[in-house]
Amino acid sequence: MELSLNKLFEQKKINPENTILSLNKSIFVWIDILGFSDALEKESEYKTLSDLLDSFRRSFYDIEVCESNRISDGIILILKQRNYSCDEIETLFQKIGEKQKEFILECSHFIRGGIAVGSSYEEQRDCRKDHSYLISSGLAKSVKIENSKIDWPIIGIDKQNLEEIRDLCRIENEKEFFGLSKCFNRKGGLIYFIDFMNHVQNNQDKEKIINILYGKVKEFHDNPKIHLKYVWLLRYYRERFECKNLPETLKGVII
């Protein structure tokens, strides 16, 4: 999803006189459902997709320390407090990872997203949440990170924005990753990501998720762009949990 701040201003007809400019830096987490936009091409699936979107929004709307805003088929989570601590940020990422796991198990769909640091520019028309408009550098940056750097079904951040989070916490330790795991994207860039697999603990959940992954790899076999994302996650999952068996459709394939 590509966002243009100028287009959003025009679309929402934002009046700067009624707008609050916040120069305080916040942490923004943009998330959406992998493959949702492609699925919209099937008009017969609209009702199913609508129900899926409702489940997605419910899953991430009760994280206490975050403000949540829905935008199109995605959600932006904003941590707005002024005094950040390592433990609080790590706890936030853990909660998002747990919600991510629960959504996968409930809906059999995976999530992709980006994390960034930025400021916000918003207009409150009335006290109802659905009537507030959000324009934000943090939103734009987190969406851009997802589109340009997060190739796999993960919620991740690049090195620069991770350093900005350290700055918010006044931390000089370059080895502070706030509980995030590391991987490389398709271009070899280093990415730090929320690892939902940390919350997959019982064998029943492990088996269900890997079966969902097998199904996605098979479903998108003729769509190389999406297929590669699921193959990467399947490879990581099998290595993480030492899965030995492969379905017949994947035998003989290097993953």
Side-chain angles (χ1 to χ4, degrees), residues 160-172:
Q160 178 181 340
N161 277 278
L162 183 63
E163 290 174 351
E164 290 189 45
I165 293 180
R166 293 194 191 112
D167 288 342
L168 287 178
C169 296
R170 296 178 175 83
I171 292 174
E172 297 182 359

Side-chain angles (χ1 to χ4, degrees), residues 19-212:
T19 306
I20 301 171
L21 176 62
S22 172
L23 298 179
N24 294 319
K25 292 295 183 71
S26 304
I27 298 172
F28 292 75
V29 184
W30 167 258
I31 53 177
D32 58 20
I33 303 170
L34 180 60
F36 189 89
S37 297
D38 292 331
L40 288 174
E41 296 178 5
K42 301 177 182 178
E43 295 182 1
S44 61
E45 298 294 322
Y46 279 0
K47 179 60 170 66
T48 300
L49 293 173
S50 177
D51 292 341
L52 174 63
L53 206 55
D54 285 342
S55 297
F56 174 56
R57 287 166 175 164
R58 286 197 304 270
S59 296
F60 289 91
Y61 257 57
D62 61 350
I63 299 178
E64 294 179 357
V65 296
C66 285
E67 174 185 314
S68 303
N69 288 275
R70 56 185 184 181
I71 301 174
S72 185
D73 61 340
I75 296 173
I76 186 72
L77 304 174
I78 311 172
L79 182 60
K80 281 193 167 182
Q81 67 186 72
R82 298 194 177 183
N83 297 317
Y84 296 91
S85 73
C86 294
D87 290 342
E88 287 168 334
I89 294 173
E90 183 171 345
T91 298
L92 168 65
F93 290 156
Q94 288 177 353
K95 287 182 178 179
I96 292 173
E98 186 173 1
K99 296 292 184 181
Q100 188 178 0
K101 179 211 72 172
E102 292 172 356
F103 176 77
I104 294 167
L105 287 171
E106 177 186 353
C107 300
S108 300
H109 285 273
F110 292 86
I111 292 171
R112 193 164 66 116
I115 306 169
V117 173
S119 55
S120 61
Y121 193 76
E122 56 189 313
E123 180 180 50
Q124 189 76 38
R125 291 288 180 87
D126 58 34
C127 61
R128 292 174 297 174
K129 189 171 186 177
D130 288 344
H131 286 73
S132 62
Y133 299 137
L134 172 69
I135 306 298
S136 163
S137 66
L139 170 60
K141 287 170 64 178
S142 58
V143 172
K144 184 177 182 180
I145 286 174
E146 183 208 38
N147 286 329
S148 63
K149 298 185 178 181
I150 309 301
D151 295 311
W152 321 125
I154 56 176
I155 303 169
I157 187 172
D158 62 0
K159 181 180 179 180
Q160 178 181 340
N161 277 278
L162 183 63
E163 290 174 351
E164 290 189 45
I165 293 180
R166 293 194 191 112
D167 288 342
L168 287 178
C169 296
R170 296 178 175 83
I171 292 174
E172 297 182 359
N173 181 8
E174 295 182 355
K175 294 184 179 180
E176 176 57 67
F177 303 121
F178 307 99
L180 300 174
S181 298
K182 294 188 287 185
C183 71
F184 294 98
N185 61 21
R186 292 180 64 181
K187 296 179 180 179
L190 185 59
I191 295 298
Y192 305 83
F193 68 99
I194 297 173
D195 193 346
F196 72 86
M197 295 185 194
N198 291 334
H199 305 279
V200 182
Q201 298 178 348
N202 64 65
N203 290 332
Q204 183 178 357
D205 288 349
K206 291 177 184 178
E207 184 176 356
K208 183 173 181 179
I209 290 178
I210 200 166
N211 285 333
I212 295 171

